[in-house]
Amino acid sequence: MILCTPDPVAHLASLNVKTINEGFGHHSSNVVVGGAGYFTAPGSTSTTGDACSVGFTAYTPTGGPAVISAGHCTNLFQNKEVWLTLPSGDSAYTGNLRGPVEPYAVLGTYGFSRFGSPSDGIGSETKSSIDISVVNVTNNALTLEPFVTNWSTAGQNNLSLAGTHITALGEAQVGRPISKSGRSSGLTGASAVTYVDGWANVSGHIVYGFGVEGLKSIPGDSGGAMFQGTTAVGVVSGGAAATLTSPSFVWGSDLSNALQYTGGYTLRLALSAPVMTSFANHAQINGGATISGTAPAGSKVVVTPSGHAAFSATTNSQGVWSFAAPQTPQTYTFGVHTENGFNKSSVTTYSLTVAGPAAPVT
């Protein structure tokens, strides 16, 4: 059933342009993170347009750079350039909701976008009725991080200095705290997710997702990151009336569901490197002994022995990986790193000495 009909107050913020700086100045960062603001105008010479928020950084189906936001943020601008906005000029920092934004660097152009259903745009009570967009990043000077800003460093115009690393993609959990980050109200939180696995009528479009009571979100926060702990769960789709100081009801577009319809866009994740737990580093072991450890569940652990071909070990549902030690006595050095799609962790190097074959069982 339709759980609610949020007002469109968490949607686009129509704003004026303050200035446009070509390239990067000393005052701006080239690191793109979740929660940052962006601006789209109907033409290259326009002085007005709409502002939304980055949800999360991502990969295109071929591994290129992309960011995820809300589908309704594309409005009529699917083929237009998207610009990052200067954090110190956004209302999350200034508190001036209707103040002009300052675009400072091209981000890219819209790729996939859907608000409602693929057929009529209105949608129905099916999981294909979503609110998601992706921006294909075309600016090679930008670095994308799997990170969501808390807006505490907006005055330094570098949103990557403080916030949360995103380590997983998941579904919103009822009763667990949730946070949101966006260009208008910054980082806000609620004590618990209220509803999941439902639909809302957002400005005449049906959107599958989840609802949160008591979470502040205002115009311009659309598309912003919604996350529980270090797990990405959604992007801001709509919400009931709110101000800069009062909370609201926010509807989130379910991210893990919506990504399935984008043709292969995937989330950037901050993967932790594998940890060997079966033996201490530099330990002496028997040939054929089981070498095991932990890594993020559902990921692949790539093992690169010095002087030998690399191979992989898959983690189980608890994140445990293992492989057998060689039989030949000698010291073996090997690196291990985690992979999940296009995401890769740093490499950790271990060394073990095989003293001889395992003693026969009698």
Side-chain angles (χ1 to χ4, degrees):
M1 65 177 180
I2 303 298
L3 295 178
C4 62
T5 305
D7 295 327
V9 298
H11 286 193
L12 304 173
S14 184
L15 299 170
N16 294 322
V17 175
K18 182 179 179 182
T19 59
I20 295 180
N21 297 325
E22 293 294 337
F24 293 100
H26 68 280
H27 61 313
S28 56
S29 168
N30 66 344
V31 181
V32 182
V33 297
Y38 68 87
F39 179 85
T40 313
S44 60
T45 60
S46 300
T47 58
T48 61
D50 288 323
C52 274
S53 300
V54 172
F56 302 94
T57 57
Y59 294 99
T60 68
T62 57
V67 301
I68 298 167
S69 187
H72 67 261
C73 288
T74 65
N75 201 358
L76 302 176
F77 307 139
Q78 286 92 333
N79 298 318
K80 305 301 181 181
E81 276 190 334
V82 179
W83 287 70
L84 291 170
T85 56
L86 199 66
S88 60
D90 285 332
S91 62
Y93 178 74
T94 66
N96 184 3
L97 181 60
R98 298 301 176 188
V101 298
E102 183 175 354
Y104 74 92
V106 171
L107 179 60
T109 57
Y110 287 114
F112 178 89
S113 177
R114 184 184 297 178
F115 183 29
S117 74
S119 56
D120 58 11
I122 296 173
S124 60
E125 294 176 29
T126 65
K127 289 189 175 182
S128 62
S129 292
I130 56 179
D131 188 5
I132 191 171
S133 66
V134 294
V135 175
N136 295 325
V137 176
T138 58
N139 189 338
N140 293 330
L142 298 175
T143 299
L144 278 61
E145 295 291 342
F147 186 82
V148 176
T149 183
N150 66 13
W151 281 91
S152 65
T153 59
Q156 302 174 54
N157 286 313
N158 188 341
L159 297 177
S160 68
L161 299 178
T164 301
H165 287 94
I166 298 301
T167 63
L169 170 66
E171 297 180 351
Q173 303 295 310
V174 170
R176 287 191 56 210
I178 189 167
S179 299
K180 173 238 93 220
S181 181
R183 64 160 298 275
S184 293
S185 59
L187 180 71
T188 59
S191 59
V193 171
T194 315
Y195 311 102
V196 295
D197 195 25
W199 291 264
N201 185 324
V202 181
S203 295
H205 299 255
I206 307 304
V207 177
Y208 175 78
F210 57 94
V212 186
E213 294 179 355
L215 180 64
K216 183 167 68 177
S217 182
I218 54 180
D221 284 334
S222 277
M226 301 183 74
F227 55 104
Q228 292 183 299
T230 62
T231 300
V233 296
V235 296
V236 175
S237 178
T243 67
L244 282 171
T245 58
S246 67
S248 65
F249 179 88
V250 175
W251 190 258
S253 178
D254 185 298
L255 184 58
S256 60
N257 172 71
L259 280 172
Q260 298 178 55
Y261 298 94
T262 62
Y265 286 83
T266 53
L267 202 66
R268 286 180 184 252
L269 300 174
L271 295 181
S272 58
V275 176
M276 181 176 66
T277 59
S278 55
F279 304 103
N281 197 15
H282 305 294
Q284 182 172 293
I285 64 174
N286 290 323
T290 298
I291 300 170
S292 62
T294 58
S299 62
K300 178 175 68 175
V301 173
V302 177
V303 184
T304 309
S306 179
H308 299 275
F311 61 92
S312 63
T314 303
T315 59
N316 63 18
S317 58
Q318 284 74 48
V320 176
W321 53 269
S322 64
F323 63 91
Q327 294 285 357
T328 304
Q330 69 178 70
T331 297
Y332 293 90
T333 299
F334 59 95
V336 287
H337 71 270
T338 309
E339 292 187 2
N340 186 332
F342 295 111
N343 295 294
K344 294 182 180 180
S345 75
S346 59
V347 177
T348 302
T349 301
Y350 292 106
S351 180
L352 295 172
T353 298
V354 174
V361 177
T362 58

